[in-house]
Amino acid sequence: MLMQDPTRIDAASVERYLRGLQQRICEAIEAQDGRAQFQRDEWQRAEGGGGVTRILDDGAVFERAGIGFSDILGSKLPPSASAHRPELAGRGYRAMGVSLVFHPRNPYVPTVHMNVRFFIAEKPGEAPVWWFGGGFDLTPYYGFEDDAREWHATARDATSAFKTADGAPAHPHLKKWCDDYFFLKHRNEARGIGGLFFDDWDAGGFERSFALMQSVGDHFLKAYLPIVERRKAMTYAQPQRDWQLYRRGRYVEFNLVWDRGTLFGLQSGGRTESILMSMPPLAAWQYRHTPADGSPEAELLQRFLPARDWL
């Protein structure tokens, strides 16, 4: 039996996986939507590398669905990536990943985000520093217990074979990391009901860390599509649409104020259109809006957004 070499780094395999993941998800979402198709926009970055942005607009199910693959090179990591890792100063880097945000048309279908990524920072005469990151999280506008339980059960399945660096089961750690990260501190409010999040991950060496990233990517459609199927044909009216647009405003606030991925992209001179593809096509803000007691909107805020153990 061949033993894995924890020091071996195979960036080419990571790139192949990520490109294939983008394609698989696009095909599945086009089939789910049934009307619109993704437009492909390939781009190059002056300092090195580039990517493929794919956008589906005005679909039957998805008002906007954006999924990007990027593989960029740089001579100096931006502050968002190096602030808590001072040992990376002076290193060149390669960063690749797939990131998506889907904004459905029906308010009863949740918005969803998924990202998987790989970083490697190198300096002549020194060993490379590398890590994986990623996860997926769900942002419903209306709460459904079975959706939330199924979402978190699939997240648990995606991580059940993995452990943290100190040997603990990965899932509780990654769930809490997600709850803590996707939180609007200025509102004291969660963005959604969570899922998985990890960064700076190298537990078990390259092959095991890469396997975790692949498992998260491969479980995304298993987690999300059943929810879309259940909710996409539900009847709604203007009040539900208004609530959806209002809650989308929270999504915008998080991405522009707190999201490290957005900051990394902008600080590294990334392509603005591709970085901000996560924005919804429409959103709204109301001054001090408070839903009526006992309403489904109030239930979302009171029962679904506070972090809890759904399993």
Side-chain angles (χ1 to χ4, degrees), residues 181-203:
Y181 181 77
F182 291 105
F183 191 83
L184 289 85
K185 300 178 182 66
H186 63 291
R187 299 277 190 185
N188 194 32
E189 179 182 286
R191 187 174 84 172
I193 64 167
L196 301 168
F197 181 83
F198 63 102
D199 202 4
D200 300 319
W201 189 277
D202 59 6

Side-chain angles (χ1 to χ4, degrees), residues 185-261:
K185 300 178 182 66
H186 63 291
R187 299 277 190 185
N188 194 32
E189 179 182 286
R191 187 174 84 172
I193 64 167
L196 301 168
F197 181 83
F198 63 102
D199 202 4
D200 300 319
W201 189 277
D202 59 6
F206 177 85
E207 293 293 343
R208 286 300 292 164
S209 299
F210 183 22
L212 171 62
M213 189 198 80
Q214 291 176 85
S215 186
V216 170
D218 293 345
H219 278 79
F220 166 71
L221 290 173
K222 298 176 185 177
Y224 187 55
L225 290 186
I227 297 173
V228 177
E229 287 279 4
R230 279 197 294 271
R231 308 300 170 196
K232 67 180 182 180
M234 291 181 66
T235 301
Y236 66 93
Q238 192 61 44
Q240 289 77 46
R241 174 65 167 169
D242 291 343
W243 175 249
Q244 179 194 46
L245 297 182
Y246 173 70
R247 293 300 305 173
R248 280 181 178 176
R250 296 289 204 270
Y251 207 92
V252 172
E253 289 179 21
F254 180 86
N255 279 17
L256 296 182
V257 176
W258 299 108
D259 187 66
R260 282 174 56 187

